[in-house]
Amino acid sequence: MATTSKRRKLILSPEQKHTLEQAAQSRTRPQREVQRAQILLRYASGQNITAISRALRTSRVAVYKW
């Protein structure tokens, strides 16, 4: 049986969301910044840690870190 997460929800302002969307699609920024932006956007949209790590092909530890 699945339980609800006790983690806080991430609420982004429109400006923050816009900045993260630009960073997530950037081809000139360092890869770590792009990945962080993608993680934050997915988490803010309600995806769980496992789904994010699978979609971005990274470890759960990396997702927890950011």
Side-chain angles (χ1 to χ4, degrees), residues 1 3 5 9-11 13 16 18 20-22 26 31-32 36 41 49 52 54 57 60 63-64:
M1 180 165 43
T3 61
S5 177
K9 294 186 183 218
L10 179 62
I11 301 171
S13 70
Q16 291 171 325
H18 179 70
L20 287 172
E21 287 170 346
Q22 285 182 331
S26 176
Q31 180 61 32
R32 67 180 181 273
R36 288 175 193 165
L41 285 170
I49 303 297
I52 295 169
R54 286 182 183 160
R57 297 181 182 200
R60 289 173 49 98
V63 176
Y64 279 115

Side-chain angles (χ1 to χ4, degrees), residues 19-26 29 33-35 37-38 41:
T19 302
L20 287 172
E21 287 170 346
Q22 285 182 331
Q25 296 174 1
S26 176
R29 290 182 187 227
E33 289 181 18
V34 172
Q35 187 178 40
Q38 291 171 343
L41 285 170

